[in-house]
mmCIF file of all heavy atoms in Angstrom:
data_model
loop_
_atom_site.group_PDB
_atom_site.id
_atom_site.type_symbol
_atom_site.label_atom_id
_atom_site.label_comp_id
_atom_site.label_asym_id
_atom_site.label_seq_id
_atom_site.Cartn_x
_atom_site.Cartn_y
_atom_site.Cartn_z
ATOM 1 N N ILE A 1 -3.834 16.905 -5.003
ATOM 2 C CA ILE A 1 -5.183 16.982 -4.461
ATOM 3 C C ILE A 1 -5.694 15.573 -4.208
ATOM 4 O O ILE A 1 -5.620 14.719 -5.119
ATOM 5 C CB ILE A 1 -6.153 17.739 -5.407
ATOM 6 C CG1 ILE A 1 -5.756 19.191 -5.566
ATOM 7 C CG2 ILE A 1 -7.584 17.607 -4.953
ATOM 8 C CD1 ILE A 1 -6.625 19.978 -6.546
ATOM 9 N N GLU A 2 -6.163 15.324 -3.015
ATOM 10 C CA GLU A 2 -6.676 13.974 -2.682
ATOM 11 C C GLU A 2 -8.196 13.999 -2.944
ATOM 12 O O GLU A 2 -8.885 14.881 -2.447
ATOM 13 C CB GLU A 2 -6.355 13.657 -1.237
ATOM 14 C CG GLU A 2 -6.617 12.190 -0.907
ATOM 15 C CD GLU A 2 -5.979 11.770 0.440
ATOM 16 O OE1 GLU A 2 -5.070 12.528 0.917
ATOM 17 O OE2 GLU A 2 -6.347 10.722 0.947
ATOM 18 N N MET A 3 -8.665 12.999 -3.680
ATOM 19 C CA MET A 3 -10.091 12.850 -3.932
ATOM 20 C C MET A 3 -10.613 11.638 -3.211
ATOM 21 O O MET A 3 -10.057 10.519 -3.316
ATOM 22 C CB MET A 3 -10.368 12.718 -5.438
ATOM 23 C CG MET A 3 -11.847 12.650 -5.750
ATOM 24 S SD MET A 3 -12.233 12.339 -7.506
ATOM 25 C CE MET A 3 -11.938 10.514 -7.561
ATOM 26 N N ASP A 4 -11.699 11.820 -2.497
ATOM 27 C CA ASP A 4 -12.287 10.764 -1.676
ATOM 28 C C ASP A 4 -13.757 10.782 -2.011
ATOM 29 O O ASP A 4 -14.480 11.692 -1.753
ATOM 30 C CB ASP A 4 -12.007 11.130 -0.245
ATOM 31 C CG ASP A 4 -12.668 10.221 0.765
ATOM 32 O OD1 ASP A 4 -13.876 10.274 0.875
ATOM 33 O OD2 ASP A 4 -11.943 9.479 1.451
ATOM 34 N N LEU A 5 -14.230 9.686 -2.707
ATOM 35 C CA LEU A 5 -15.643 9.598 -3.169
ATOM 36 C C LEU A 5 -16.283 8.367 -2.543
ATOM 37 O O LEU A 5 -15.764 7.255 -2.735
ATOM 38 C CB LEU A 5 -15.681 9.581 -4.678
ATOM 39 C CG LEU A 5 -17.043 9.591 -5.365
ATOM 40 C CD1 LEU A 5 -16.938 10.091 -6.790
ATOM 41 C CD2 LEU A 5 -17.701 8.179 -5.354
ATOM 42 N N ALA A 6 -17.327 8.571 -1.790
ATOM 43 C CA ALA A 6 -18.066 7.449 -1.178
ATOM 44 C C ALA A 6 -19.494 7.423 -1.728
ATOM 45 O O ALA A 6 -20.195 8.447 -1.623
ATOM 46 C CB ALA A 6 -18.083 7.580 0.351
ATOM 47 N N TYR A 7 -19.880 6.292 -2.308
ATOM 48 C CA TYR A 7 -21.202 6.153 -2.948
ATOM 49 C C TYR A 7 -22.077 5.207 -2.124
ATOM 50 O O TYR A 7 -21.583 4.178 -1.650
ATOM 51 C CB TYR A 7 -21.060 5.623 -4.369
ATOM 52 C CG TYR A 7 -22.352 5.049 -4.971
ATOM 53 C CD1 TYR A 7 -23.286 5.923 -5.524
ATOM 54 C CD2 TYR A 7 -22.607 3.696 -4.916
ATOM 55 C CE1 TYR A 7 -24.485 5.428 -6.094
ATOM 56 C CE2 TYR A 7 -23.794 3.191 -5.473
ATOM 57 C CZ TYR A 7 -24.695 4.050 -6.044
ATOM 58 O OH TYR A 7 -25.874 3.531 -6.547
ATOM 59 N N TYR A 8 -23.295 5.590 -1.977
ATOM 60 C CA TYR A 8 -24.273 4.777 -1.190
ATOM 61 C C TYR A 8 -25.471 4.481 -2.073
ATOM 62 O O TYR A 8 -26.158 5.385 -2.543
ATOM 63 C CB TYR A 8 -24.726 5.529 0.097
ATOM 64 C CG TYR A 8 -23.541 5.788 1.003
ATOM 65 C CD1 TYR A 8 -22.777 6.957 0.835
ATOM 66 C CD2 TYR A 8 -23.187 4.905 1.986
ATOM 67 C CE1 TYR A 8 -21.702 7.236 1.678
ATOM 68 C CE2 TYR A 8 -22.087 5.168 2.814
ATOM 69 C CZ TYR A 8 -21.370 6.307 2.640
ATOM 70 O OH TYR A 8 -20.301 6.552 3.466
ATOM 71 N N ALA A 9 -25.744 3.156 -2.273
ATOM 72 C CA ALA A 9 -26.879 2.815 -3.141
ATOM 73 C C ALA A 9 -28.210 3.177 -2.458
ATOM 74 O O ALA A 9 -29.124 3.585 -3.167
ATOM 75 C CB ALA A 9 -26.832 1.274 -3.373
ATOM 76 N N GLN A 10 -28.261 3.069 -1.156
ATOM 77 C CA GLN A 10 -29.479 3.473 -0.422
ATOM 78 C C GLN A 10 -29.033 4.153 0.888
ATOM 79 O O GLN A 10 -29.132 3.555 1.961
ATOM 80 C CB GLN A 10 -30.392 2.312 -0.176
ATOM 81 C CG GLN A 10 -31.038 1.711 -1.414
ATOM 82 C CD GLN A 10 -32.255 0.875 -1.060
ATOM 83 O OE1 GLN A 10 -32.415 0.375 0.006
ATOM 84 N NE2 GLN A 10 -33.106 0.635 -2.048
ATOM 85 N N PRO A 11 -28.624 5.416 0.800
ATOM 86 C CA PRO A 11 -28.227 6.126 2.004
ATOM 87 C C PRO A 11 -29.402 6.180 2.994
ATOM 88 O O PRO A 11 -30.556 6.295 2.559
ATOM 89 C CB PRO A 11 -27.798 7.505 1.557
ATOM 90 C CG PRO A 11 -28.412 7.648 0.205
ATOM 91 C CD PRO A 11 -28.500 6.265 -0.402
ATOM 92 N N ARG A 12 -29.077 6.084 4.259
ATOM 93 C CA ARG A 12 -30.154 6.144 5.232
ATOM 94 C C ARG A 12 -30.823 7.497 5.265
ATOM 95 O O ARG A 12 -30.134 8.527 5.383
ATOM 96 C CB ARG A 12 -29.588 5.814 6.669
ATOM 97 C CG ARG A 12 -30.636 5.698 7.752
ATOM 98 C CD ARG A 12 -30.003 5.162 9.009
ATOM 99 N NE ARG A 12 -28.913 5.958 9.485
ATOM 100 C CZ ARG A 12 -29.080 7.045 10.282
ATOM 101 N NH1 ARG A 12 -30.288 7.403 10.653
ATOM 102 N NH2 ARG A 12 -28.044 7.746 10.702
ATOM 103 N N VAL A 13 -32.134 7.501 5.085
ATOM 104 C CA VAL A 13 -32.881 8.726 5.041
ATOM 105 C C VAL A 13 -32.682 9.474 6.343
ATOM 106 O O VAL A 13 -32.857 8.891 7.434
ATOM 107 C CB VAL A 13 -34.343 8.498 4.736
ATOM 108 C CG1 VAL A 13 -35.160 9.791 4.855
ATOM 109 C CG2 VAL A 13 -34.513 7.892 3.370
ATOM 110 N N GLY A 14 -32.267 10.715 6.329
ATOM 111 C CA GLY A 14 -32.012 11.493 7.508
ATOM 112 C C GLY A 14 -30.552 11.508 7.908
ATOM 113 O O GLY A 14 -30.164 12.226 8.844
ATOM 114 N N SER A 15 -29.701 10.724 7.221
ATOM 115 C CA SER A 15 -28.284 10.710 7.562
ATOM 116 C C SER A 15 -27.546 11.825 6.824
ATOM 117 O O SER A 15 -28.046 12.427 5.907
ATOM 118 C CB SER A 15 -27.672 9.373 7.198
ATOM 119 O OG SER A 15 -27.549 9.254 5.780
ATOM 120 N N SER A 16 -26.308 12.040 7.221
ATOM 121 C CA SER A 16 -25.513 13.118 6.589
ATOM 122 C C SER A 16 -24.420 12.530 5.696
ATOM 123 O O SER A 16 -23.548 13.262 5.228
ATOM 124 C CB SER A 16 -24.856 14.019 7.657
ATOM 125 O OG SER A 16 -24.032 13.218 8.498
ATOM 126 N N MET A 17 -24.359 11.217 5.462
ATOM 127 C CA MET A 17 -23.450 10.553 4.562
ATOM 128 C C MET A 17 -21.992 10.934 4.904
ATOM 129 O O MET A 17 -21.194 11.206 4.072
ATOM 130 C CB MET A 17 -23.761 10.933 3.101
ATOM 131 C CG MET A 17 -25.050 10.356 2.629
ATOM 132 S SD MET A 17 -25.520 10.985 0.971
ATOM 133 C CE MET A 17 -24.133 10.413 -0.010
ATOM 134 N N HIS A 18 -21.693 10.917 6.177
ATOM 135 C CA HIS A 18 -20.318 11.194 6.638
ATOM 136 C C HIS A 18 -19.807 12.540 6.181
ATOM 137 O O HIS A 18 -18.701 12.682 5.666
ATOM 138 C CB HIS A 18 -19.370 10.076 6.205
ATOM 139 C CG HIS A 18 -19.684 8.743 6.801
ATOM 140 N ND1 HIS A 18 -19.378 8.402 8.080
ATOM 141 C CD2 HIS A 18 -20.361 7.659 6.297
ATOM 142 C CE1 HIS A 18 -19.764 7.185 8.358
ATOM 143 N NE2 HIS A 18 -20.407 6.729 7.274
ATOM 144 N N SER A 19 -20.631 13.570 6.413
ATOM 145 C CA SER A 19 -20.241 14.938 6.097
ATOM 146 C C SER A 19 -19.021 15.323 6.900
ATOM 147 O O SER A 19 -18.905 15.030 8.118
ATOM 148 C CB SER A 19 -21.377 15.881 6.401
ATOM 149 O OG SER A 19 -20.926 17.188 6.640
ATOM 150 N N PRO A 20 -18.035 15.991 6.318
ATOM 151 C CA PRO A 20 -16.852 16.497 7.067
ATOM 152 C C PRO A 20 -17.252 17.361 8.251
ATOM 153 O O PRO A 20 -16.605 17.309 9.306
ATOM 154 C CB PRO A 20 -16.078 17.250 6.020
ATOM 155 C CG PRO A 20 -16.451 16.657 4.720
ATOM 156 C CD PRO A 20 -17.897 16.282 4.853
ATOM 157 N N LEU A 21 -18.304 18.122 8.148
ATOM 158 C CA LEU A 21 -18.696 19.035 9.247
ATOM 159 C C LEU A 21 -19.098 18.222 10.451
ATOM 160 O O LEU A 21 -18.983 18.677 11.586
ATOM 161 C CB LEU A 21 -19.846 19.985 8.840
ATOM 162 C CG LEU A 21 -19.467 21.051 7.789
ATOM 163 C CD1 LEU A 21 -20.687 22.007 7.641
ATOM 164 C CD2 LEU A 21 -18.254 21.805 8.182
ATOM 165 N N ASN A 22 -19.589 16.986 10.233
ATOM 166 C CA ASN A 22 -19.987 16.151 11.361
ATOM 167 C C ASN A 22 -18.885 15.212 11.815
ATOM 168 O O ASN A 22 -18.739 14.914 12.999
ATOM 169 C CB ASN A 22 -21.207 15.299 10.966
ATOM 170 C CG ASN A 22 -22.401 16.187 10.682
ATOM 171 O OD1 ASN A 22 -22.544 17.242 11.278
ATOM 172 N ND2 ASN A 22 -23.302 15.743 9.822
ATOM 173 N N CYS A 23 -18.100 14.710 10.853
ATOM 174 C CA CYS A 23 -17.104 13.686 11.190
ATOM 175 C C CYS A 23 -15.756 14.233 11.661
ATOM 176 O O CYS A 23 -15.136 13.667 12.605
ATOM 177 C CB CYS A 23 -16.841 12.817 9.947
ATOM 178 S SG CYS A 23 -18.276 11.869 9.420
ATOM 179 N N LEU A 24 -15.252 15.321 11.071
ATOM 180 C CA LEU A 24 -13.916 15.797 11.382
ATOM 181 C C LEU A 24 -13.757 16.265 12.852
ATOM 182 O O LEU A 24 -12.732 15.943 13.472
ATOM 183 C CB LEU A 24 -13.483 16.888 10.433
ATOM 184 C CG LEU A 24 -13.224 16.429 8.979
ATOM 185 C CD1 LEU A 24 -12.820 17.618 8.103
ATOM 186 C CD2 LEU A 24 -12.109 15.369 8.943
#
């Protein structure tokens, strides 16, 4: 199982934080 964890100290309000549904 591949684990991919991305942390954002201040994610842009209104962003999707690179959601797979948007990026893939």
Side-chain angles (χ1 to χ4, degrees):
I1 293 176
E2 192 165 344
M3 183 186 79
D4 176 289
L5 184 158
Y7 164 82
Y8 298 88
Q10 290 197 341
R12 185 169 59 85
V13 175
S15 74
S16 60
M17 293 173 59
H18 297 283
S19 158
L21 292 188
N22 296 330
C23 296
L24 289 180

